[in-house]
mmCIF file of all heavy atoms in Angstrom:
data_model
loop_
_atom_site.group_PDB
_atom_site.id
_atom_site.type_symbol
_atom_site.label_atom_id
_atom_site.label_comp_id
_atom_site.label_asym_id
_atom_site.label_seq_id
_atom_site.Cartn_x
_atom_site.Cartn_y
_atom_site.Cartn_z
ATOM 1 N N TYR A 34 -4.912 14.488 37.937
ATOM 2 C CA TYR A 34 -5.558 15.781 38.160
ATOM 3 C C TYR A 34 -7.073 15.662 38.091
ATOM 4 O O TYR A 34 -7.608 14.673 37.610
ATOM 5 C CB TYR A 34 -5.109 16.791 37.095
ATOM 6 C CG TYR A 34 -3.639 17.075 37.072
ATOM 7 C CD1 TYR A 34 -2.837 16.616 36.031
ATOM 8 C CD2 TYR A 34 -3.033 17.831 38.066
ATOM 9 C CE1 TYR A 34 -1.481 16.891 35.987
ATOM 10 C CE2 TYR A 34 -1.685 18.117 38.032
ATOM 11 C CZ TYR A 34 -0.915 17.650 36.996
ATOM 12 O OH TYR A 34 0.420 17.924 36.955
ATOM 13 N N ARG A 35 -7.720 16.722 38.518
ATOM 14 C CA ARG A 35 -9.177 16.802 38.447
ATOM 15 C C ARG A 35 -9.608 16.741 36.977
ATOM 16 O O ARG A 35 -9.164 17.522 36.149
ATOM 17 C CB ARG A 35 -9.613 18.109 39.081
ATOM 18 C CG ARG A 35 -11.078 18.265 39.205
ATOM 19 C CD ARG A 35 -11.388 19.588 39.866
ATOM 20 N NE ARG A 35 -12.658 19.469 40.530
ATOM 21 C CZ ARG A 35 -13.100 20.316 41.398
ATOM 22 N NH1 ARG A 35 -12.373 21.344 41.748
ATOM 23 N NH2 ARG A 35 -14.277 20.143 41.942
ATOM 24 N N ALA A 36 -10.501 15.819 36.676
ATOM 25 C CA ALA A 36 -10.901 15.536 35.291
ATOM 26 C C ALA A 36 -11.454 16.764 34.575
ATOM 27 O O ALA A 36 -11.119 17.005 33.411
ATOM 28 C CB ALA A 36 -11.916 14.397 35.264
ATOM 29 N N SER A 37 -12.289 17.544 35.236
ATOM 30 C CA SER A 37 -12.887 18.710 34.564
ATOM 31 C C SER A 37 -11.834 19.752 34.205
ATOM 32 O O SER A 37 -11.911 20.391 33.152
ATOM 33 C CB SER A 37 -13.978 19.332 35.435
ATOM 34 O OG SER A 37 -13.440 19.760 36.674
ATOM 35 N N TYR A 38 -10.813 19.913 35.042
ATOM 36 C CA TYR A 38 -9.739 20.861 34.748
ATOM 37 C C TYR A 38 -8.904 20.370 33.565
ATOM 38 O O TYR A 38 -8.533 21.145 32.693
ATOM 39 C CB TYR A 38 -8.829 21.048 35.960
ATOM 40 C CG TYR A 38 -9.449 21.737 37.152
ATOM 41 C CD1 TYR A 38 -10.782 22.134 37.174
ATOM 42 C CD2 TYR A 38 -8.684 21.989 38.275
ATOM 43 C CE1 TYR A 38 -11.330 22.758 38.280
ATOM 44 C CE2 TYR A 38 -9.214 22.622 39.385
ATOM 45 C CZ TYR A 38 -10.542 23.002 39.386
ATOM 46 O OH TYR A 38 -11.064 23.628 40.489
ATOM 47 N N VAL A 39 -8.598 19.073 33.568
ATOM 48 C CA VAL A 39 -7.832 18.487 32.460
ATOM 49 C C VAL A 39 -8.607 18.664 31.157
ATOM 50 O O VAL A 39 -8.059 19.099 30.144
ATOM 51 C CB VAL A 39 -7.539 16.990 32.706
ATOM 52 C CG1 VAL A 39 -6.935 16.346 31.466
ATOM 53 C CG2 VAL A 39 -6.626 16.805 33.901
ATOM 54 N N PHE A 40 -9.893 18.332 31.191
ATOM 55 C CA PHE A 40 -10.703 18.421 29.972
ATOM 56 C C PHE A 40 -10.758 19.852 29.451
ATOM 57 O O PHE A 40 -10.704 20.072 28.239
ATOM 58 C CB PHE A 40 -12.117 17.883 30.195
ATOM 59 C CG PHE A 40 -12.913 17.845 28.927
ATOM 60 C CD1 PHE A 40 -12.703 16.841 27.995
ATOM 61 C CD2 PHE A 40 -13.835 18.833 28.637
ATOM 62 C CE1 PHE A 40 -13.408 16.812 26.796
ATOM 63 C CE2 PHE A 40 -14.549 18.811 27.443
ATOM 64 C CZ PHE A 40 -14.336 17.797 26.524
ATOM 65 N N ALA A 41 -10.853 20.840 30.345
ATOM 66 C CA ALA A 41 -10.909 22.240 29.910
ATOM 67 C C ALA A 41 -9.657 22.609 29.108
ATOM 68 O O ALA A 41 -9.745 23.232 28.041
ATOM 69 C CB ALA A 41 -11.058 23.164 31.115
ATOM 70 N N GLY A 42 -8.496 22.216 29.596
ATOM 71 C CA GLY A 42 -7.256 22.528 28.884
ATOM 72 C C GLY A 42 -7.130 21.778 27.579
ATOM 73 O O GLY A 42 -6.753 22.344 26.539
ATOM 74 N N VAL A 43 -7.431 20.489 27.616
ATOM 75 C CA VAL A 43 -7.352 19.651 26.421
ATOM 76 C C VAL A 43 -8.356 20.138 25.369
ATOM 77 O O VAL A 43 -8.018 20.237 24.183
ATOM 78 C CB VAL A 43 -7.606 18.175 26.802
ATOM 79 C CG1 VAL A 43 -7.822 17.306 25.585
ATOM 80 C CG2 VAL A 43 -6.443 17.643 27.636
ATOM 81 N N ALA A 44 -9.555 20.458 25.798
ATOM 82 C CA ALA A 44 -10.591 20.918 24.871
ATOM 83 C C ALA A 44 -10.179 22.234 24.209
ATOM 84 O O ALA A 44 -10.383 22.416 22.998
ATOM 85 C CB ALA A 44 -11.921 21.083 25.604
ATOM 86 N N ALA A 45 -9.583 23.139 24.972
ATOM 87 C CA ALA A 45 -9.130 24.414 24.403
ATOM 88 C C ALA A 45 -8.033 24.190 23.360
ATOM 89 O O ALA A 45 -8.027 24.825 22.304
ATOM 90 C CB ALA A 45 -8.634 25.339 25.513
ATOM 91 N N ALA A 46 -7.107 23.277 23.650
ATOM 92 C CA ALA A 46 -6.030 22.990 22.696
ATOM 93 C C ALA A 46 -6.591 22.378 21.413
ATOM 94 O O ALA A 46 -6.165 22.737 20.304
ATOM 95 C CB ALA A 46 -5.001 22.054 23.329
ATOM 96 N N PHE A 47 -7.540 21.467 21.545
ATOM 97 C CA PHE A 47 -8.139 20.864 20.361
ATOM 98 C C PHE A 47 -8.905 21.902 19.540
ATOM 99 O O PHE A 47 -8.879 21.868 18.311
ATOM 100 C CB PHE A 47 -9.054 19.701 20.734
ATOM 101 C CG PHE A 47 -8.331 18.408 20.893
ATOM 102 C CD1 PHE A 47 -8.590 17.591 21.980
ATOM 103 C CD2 PHE A 47 -7.399 17.991 19.967
ATOM 104 C CE1 PHE A 47 -7.930 16.389 22.142
ATOM 105 C CE2 PHE A 47 -6.729 16.790 20.110
ATOM 106 C CZ PHE A 47 -6.997 15.988 21.199
ATOM 107 N N LEU A 48 -9.583 22.799 20.219
ATOM 108 C CA LEU A 48 -10.297 23.853 19.509
ATOM 109 C C LEU A 48 -9.317 24.693 18.681
ATOM 110 O O LEU A 48 -9.573 24.979 17.506
ATOM 111 C CB LEU A 48 -11.068 24.734 20.498
ATOM 112 C CG LEU A 48 -11.855 25.896 19.884
ATOM 113 C CD1 LEU A 48 -12.913 25.379 18.923
ATOM 114 C CD2 LEU A 48 -12.492 26.727 20.991
ATOM 115 N N LEU A 49 -8.192 25.047 19.288
ATOM 116 C CA LEU A 49 -7.171 25.811 18.567
ATOM 117 C C LEU A 49 -6.638 25.017 17.367
ATOM 118 O O LEU A 49 -6.487 25.562 16.269
ATOM 119 C CB LEU A 49 -6.025 26.190 19.511
ATOM 120 C CG LEU A 49 -4.861 26.951 18.881
ATOM 121 C CD1 LEU A 49 -5.329 28.264 18.252
ATOM 122 C CD2 LEU A 49 -3.796 27.219 19.936
ATOM 123 N N HIS A 50 -6.383 23.742 17.562
ATOM 124 C CA HIS A 50 -5.895 22.900 16.458
ATOM 125 C C HIS A 50 -6.891 22.836 15.308
ATOM 126 O O HIS A 50 -6.505 22.899 14.139
ATOM 127 C CB HIS A 50 -5.589 21.476 16.942
ATOM 128 C CG HIS A 50 -4.220 21.333 17.495
ATOM 129 N ND1 HIS A 50 -3.098 21.381 16.720
ATOM 130 C CD2 HIS A 50 -3.791 21.160 18.762
ATOM 131 C CE1 HIS A 50 -2.026 21.237 17.478
ATOM 132 N NE2 HIS A 50 -2.424 21.104 18.724
ATOM 133 N N VAL A 51 -8.149 22.693 15.626
ATOM 134 C CA VAL A 51 -9.172 22.604 14.579
ATOM 135 C C VAL A 51 -9.291 23.938 13.845
ATOM 136 O O VAL A 51 -9.392 23.964 12.613
ATOM 137 C CB VAL A 51 -10.528 22.144 15.163
ATOM 138 C CG1 VAL A 51 -11.651 22.316 14.159
ATOM 139 C CG2 VAL A 51 -10.434 20.691 15.606
ATOM 140 N N VAL A 52 -9.251 25.038 14.579
ATOM 141 C CA VAL A 52 -9.311 26.355 13.930
ATOM 142 C C VAL A 52 -8.138 26.514 12.965
ATOM 143 O O VAL A 52 -8.316 26.963 11.829
ATOM 144 C CB VAL A 52 -9.332 27.488 14.985
ATOM 145 C CG1 VAL A 52 -9.079 28.845 14.351
ATOM 146 C CG2 VAL A 52 -10.665 27.501 15.721
ATOM 147 N N LEU A 53 -6.948 26.135 13.408
ATOM 148 C CA LEU A 53 -5.774 26.218 12.532
ATOM 149 C C LEU A 53 -5.923 25.311 11.314
ATOM 150 O O LEU A 53 -5.597 25.709 10.192
ATOM 151 C CB LEU A 53 -4.501 25.841 13.297
ATOM 152 C CG LEU A 53 -4.034 26.829 14.358
ATOM 153 C CD1 LEU A 53 -2.876 26.232 15.157
ATOM 154 C CD2 LEU A 53 -3.643 28.148 13.740
ATOM 155 N N ALA A 54 -6.414 24.102 11.528
ATOM 156 C CA ALA A 54 -6.565 23.155 10.423
ATOM 157 C C ALA A 54 -7.587 23.632 9.410
ATOM 158 O O ALA A 54 -7.355 23.570 8.197
ATOM 159 C CB ALA A 54 -6.951 21.775 10.956
ATOM 160 N N VAL A 55 -8.708 24.110 9.907
ATOM 161 C CA VAL A 55 -9.758 24.578 8.997
ATOM 162 C C VAL A 55 -9.275 25.819 8.251
ATOM 163 O O VAL A 55 -9.495 25.948 7.055
ATOM 164 C CB VAL A 55 -11.068 24.838 9.776
ATOM 165 C CG1 VAL A 55 -12.078 25.580 8.924
ATOM 166 C CG2 VAL A 55 -11.663 23.515 10.259
ATOM 167 N N ALA A 56 -8.589 26.712 8.955
ATOM 168 C CA ALA A 56 -8.084 27.934 8.305
ATOM 169 C C ALA A 56 -7.037 27.591 7.253
ATOM 170 O O ALA A 56 -6.976 28.202 6.189
ATOM 171 C CB ALA A 56 -7.502 28.877 9.348
ATOM 172 N N ALA A 57 -6.223 26.633 7.547
ATOM 173 C CA ALA A 57 -5.159 26.267 6.607
ATOM 174 C C ALA A 57 -5.688 25.500 5.403
ATOM 175 O O ALA A 57 -5.065 25.512 4.345
ATOM 176 C CB ALA A 57 -4.106 25.442 7.325
ATOM 177 N N GLY A 58 -6.804 24.802 5.591
ATOM 178 C CA GLY A 58 -7.384 24.029 4.494
ATOM 179 C C GLY A 58 -6.405 23.006 3.963
ATOM 180 O O GLY A 58 -5.826 22.247 4.717
ATOM 181 N N SER A 59 -6.188 23.026 2.720
ATOM 182 C CA SER A 59 -5.320 22.022 2.111
ATOM 183 C C SER A 59 -3.838 22.362 2.195
ATOM 184 O O SER A 59 -3.004 21.565 1.780
ATOM 185 C CB SER A 59 -5.714 21.813 0.648
ATOM 186 O OG SER A 59 -5.548 23.016 -0.064
ATOM 187 N N VAL A 60 -3.476 23.508 2.761
ATOM 188 C CA VAL A 60 -2.070 23.901 2.853
ATOM 189 C C VAL A 60 -1.275 22.898 3.696
ATOM 190 O O VAL A 60 -0.135 22.572 3.379
ATOM 191 C CB VAL A 60 -1.931 25.329 3.418
ATOM 192 C CG1 VAL A 60 -0.482 25.690 3.667
ATOM 193 C CG2 VAL A 60 -2.566 26.327 2.461
ATOM 194 N N LEU A 61 -1.873 22.379 4.774
ATOM 195 C CA LEU A 61 -1.154 21.425 5.620
ATOM 196 C C LEU A 61 -0.795 20.139 4.884
ATOM 197 O O LEU A 61 0.168 19.467 5.234
ATOM 198 C CB LEU A 61 -1.975 21.083 6.873
ATOM 199 C CG LEU A 61 -2.049 22.176 7.936
ATOM 200 C CD1 LEU A 61 -2.948 21.724 9.081
ATOM 201 C CD2 LEU A 61 -0.674 22.527 8.449
ATOM 202 N N THR A 62 -1.567 19.821 3.869
ATOM 203 C CA THR A 62 -1.255 18.598 3.123
ATOM 204 C C THR A 62 0.009 18.751 2.289
ATOM 205 O O THR A 62 0.548 17.761 1.806
ATOM 206 C CB THR A 62 -2.425 18.191 2.208
ATOM 207 O OG1 THR A 62 -2.632 19.234 1.252
ATOM 208 C CG2 THR A 62 -3.691 17.953 2.999
ATOM 209 N N LEU A 63 0.479 19.964 2.125
ATOM 210 C CA LEU A 63 1.691 20.205 1.353
ATOM 211 C C LEU A 63 2.965 20.009 2.169
ATOM 212 O O LEU A 63 4.058 19.974 1.605
ATOM 213 C CB LEU A 63 1.668 21.624 0.772
ATOM 214 C CG LEU A 63 0.480 21.946 -0.140
ATOM 215 C CD1 LEU A 63 0.528 23.408 -0.571
ATOM 216 C CD2 LEU A 63 0.459 21.028 -1.349
ATOM 217 N N LEU A 64 2.835 19.890 3.495
ATOM 218 C CA LEU A 64 4.019 19.660 4.332
ATOM 219 C C LEU A 64 4.636 18.307 3.996
ATOM 220 O O LEU A 64 3.916 17.328 3.792
ATOM 221 C CB LEU A 64 3.642 19.656 5.820
ATOM 222 C CG LEU A 64 3.287 20.987 6.439
ATOM 223 C CD1 LEU A 64 2.818 20.774 7.874
ATOM 224 C CD2 LEU A 64 4.467 21.929 6.408
ATOM 225 N N PRO A 65 5.956 18.234 3.955
ATOM 226 C CA PRO A 65 6.600 16.945 3.699
ATOM 227 C C PRO A 65 6.295 15.953 4.825
ATOM 228 O O PRO A 65 6.571 16.218 5.989
ATOM 229 C CB PRO A 65 8.096 17.284 3.678
ATOM 230 C CG PRO A 65 8.177 18.765 3.557
ATOM 231 C CD PRO A 65 6.900 19.325 4.086
ATOM 232 N N GLN A 66 5.710 14.844 4.454
ATOM 233 C CA GLN A 66 5.322 13.834 5.440
ATOM 234 C C GLN A 66 6.525 13.291 6.199
ATOM 235 O O GLN A 66 6.408 12.943 7.364
ATOM 236 C CB GLN A 66 4.558 12.696 4.764
ATOM 237 C CG GLN A 66 3.140 13.061 4.403
ATOM 238 C CD GLN A 66 2.319 13.370 5.637
ATOM 239 O OE1 GLN A 66 2.286 12.611 6.579
ATOM 240 N NE2 GLN A 66 1.668 14.515 5.641
#
Side-chain angles (χ1 to χ4, degrees):
Y34 299 109
R35 186 179 207 166
S37 60
Y38 292 3
V39 171
F40 185 77
V43 168
F47 275 134
L48 179 61
L49 178 59
H50 274 290
V51 169
V52 167
L53 290 172
V55 169
S59 62
V60 173
L61 287 177
T62 62
L63 301 176
L64 288 175
Q66 285 297 309

